[in-house]
Amino acid sequence: MLALVSLSFPLIGHADEKENILPTSITWVKNDAPPFYITQGHCKSGFGDQIQSIIERNLPEYRHQTFQVPLSRLEHTWAEYSPLCFATMIYQTPINDQYILSHPNAMYMPHGIITTNKFADSLPIGADGTVSLEEIIRGKKVSLGHIAGRSYANKVDNLLAKYSDNVILNTRSGSTETQGVLNMLSQGRFDILIEYEFVLNHYIDEGDYPNQLRFIPIKETRGEYILGAIGCTNSPEGKLAINSINTALDDVLHSRSYRRAVADWLVPVGDEVNYWTAFDKALKESLGKSN
C-alpha cells in the first residue's frame, strides 16, 4: 500500500497576488477508492487517475505532484496547499468555502443501493427493478454504510437528511475505504450501501463478492445523471489553477484519450451512443454554451 505522504512539507506554488503570477505547481490528492483511483496491487489505472494524468499533460506550464489521503481528511487538507486539486468531485454547490469547482469533467449514472441478497429480498422492488429509497428509510430504521466525507448528490443527500432519525450511519474512514465498507456489508454489519454500480462491478471483476452483493437502482434518481468536476483550493492560486483547468477541459473532454479513459468504467455497455449524446447535452446545459 502506498504510504501517505506527510502533510508537513513546505507549501508549494504560492502565487504573488500583486503581480498576478501563475502558481508554478499543482498538488493533486487521490484516495484509495477503486475504480476512481487504483493505488495498489493493480496494473490498470482508475479513471480518476487517468483523467488527472490527461489534465496534467494538458497543463505543461505547471509542475504536478500527487499524494494519497483518505477522503475523510480532504476537508482538513484544502488549506494546507495552494493550490490543492482533486479530480473526482461531484459538480454541485460546494459544501463549504474551502474549495471551488471546475466545469464538469465527467458524467456518472446515478447511485443505487448495494446490499446482501438476504436484505434485498425484504425490499419492495418494483416491476422496473428499482426500489424507493424514501420508502425504505421512511418506514423503518435502516443502517447505512458510509465513507466519511462522501456526498451522493443533492436528491439522495436531501432524502438522507429528511429521514436522518431513521438512518443509522456506519461511517468508515482511513485507507481502503471502499473495500472496507463492502467487506462490512458482506459480513452483515449494516443493511445497505449507497454507491455507483460500476464500483461493485469492479470488485466482482476482481473476484470479490461474486454472489454475495446486489445492486438495485434507486427509483428517485432512475434515468438521471450526476456530473463530476475537479475541485481546487478556494484561494487566488486555486482560482488561477481552475481557470487553466477549465481552458484545458474544452479540448480534453472531446479527445479520444479522455473517452477511452472513462469508457470502461462509466459508459453502460450497449448504450454508448445514448451516453455520449447525454454527456454532450449535459455539458452544453451546464456551461450555457455550445461545445
Side-chain angles (χ1 to χ4, degrees):
M1 182 177 68
L2 295 179
L4 293 183
V5 175
S6 170
L7 301 186
S8 63
F9 59 75
L11 297 182
I12 61 173
H14 184 76
D16 186 337
E17 292 182 55
K18 294 182 180 179
E19 298 181 11
N20 199 29
I21 298 175
L22 281 173
T24 58
S25 300
I26 294 177
T27 299
W28 296 86
V29 64
K30 63 177 64 177
N31 62 324
D32 185 7
F36 290 90
Y37 301 96
I38 300 177
T39 61
Q40 54 179 315
H42 301 271
C43 295
K44 192 172 185 179
S45 297
F47 67 84
D49 297 303
Q50 295 179 64
I51 289 173
Q52 179 185 321
S53 294
I54 293 169
I55 294 295
E56 289 181 12
R57 291 197 299 270
N58 281 267
L59 297 178
E61 66 272 27
Y62 292 88
R63 294 193 307 274
H64 301 273
Q65 61 181 5
T66 302
F67 68 91
Q68 184 182 330
V69 66
L71 187 61
S72 59
R73 290 182 59 187
L74 181 59
E75 181 180 356
H76 308 291
T77 308
W78 292 112
E80 297 292 330
Y81 300 89
S82 195
L84 178 81
C85 296
F86 185 52
T88 52
M89 301 196 72
I90 289 180
Y91 183 70
Q92 65 181 18
T93 303
I95 60 175
N96 58 52
D97 62 359
Q98 296 186 65
Y99 65 93
I100 54 176
L101 295 174
S102 71
H103 296 329
N105 74 331
M107 188 178 82
Y108 309 106
M109 295 297 99
H111 298 92
I113 288 171
I114 298 177
T115 188
T116 60
N117 292 319
K118 180 179 179 180
F119 192 78
D121 290 340
S122 72
L123 297 177
I125 300 175
D128 62 353
T130 67
V131 64
S132 169
L133 177 61
E134 182 168 19
E135 186 175 344
I136 294 172
I137 60 180
R138 180 182 60 201
K140 61 180 178 180
K141 289 188 178 294
V142 175
S143 55
L144 169 68
H146 176 71
I147 295 173
R150 183 73 182 273
S151 172
Y152 306 108
N154 291 328
K155 188 171 288 187
V156 171
D157 286 345
N158 290 340
L159 278 176
L160 294 177
K162 180 178 179 180
Y163 296 102
S164 59
D165 289 343
N166 275 5
V167 178
I168 304 168
L169 285 181
N170 291 262
T171 301
R172 170 91 180 192
S173 60
S175 61
T176 63
E177 297 159 315
T178 303
Q179 186 158 25
V181 292
L182 286 170
N183 285 341
M184 293 170 70
L185 176 61
S186 68
Q187 296 164 9
R189 301 276 294 278
F190 47 82
D191 299 321
I192 64 173
L193 175 67
I194 296 174
E195 190 53 273
Y196 298 109
E197 184 174 18
F198 61 77
V199 172
L200 179 59
N201 288 343
H202 165 75
Y203 283 97
I204 291 176
D205 289 345
E206 293 296 312
D208 300 321
Y209 325 112
N211 301 305
Q212 297 169 271
L213 303 177
R214 290 171 56 184
F215 176 87
I216 306 170
I218 293 173
K219 180 179 179 179
E220 287 83 357
T221 58
R222 185 66 178 268
E224 298 181 1
Y225 55 79
I226 296 172
L227 292 176
I230 297 170
C232 292
T233 310
N234 185 7
S235 66
E237 297 87 352
K239 291 173 182 176
L240 289 169
I242 285 290
N243 287 339
S244 297
I245 289 168
N246 284 338
T247 299
L249 284 174
D250 288 340
D251 293 325
V252 164
L253 295 181
H254 295 92
S255 68
R256 294 185 65 185
S257 60
Y258 169 83
R259 304 224 165 185
R260 285 196 302 268
V262 303
D264 289 344
W265 307 109
L266 305 185
V267 183
V269 175
D271 200 31
E272 292 85 357
V273 173
N274 288 334
Y275 176 89
W276 291 118
T277 299
F279 180 61
D280 290 337
K281 180 181 178 182
L283 289 180
K284 292 177 183 179
E285 292 175 349
S286 64
L287 301 179
K289 66 178 183 180
S290 176
N291 285 274

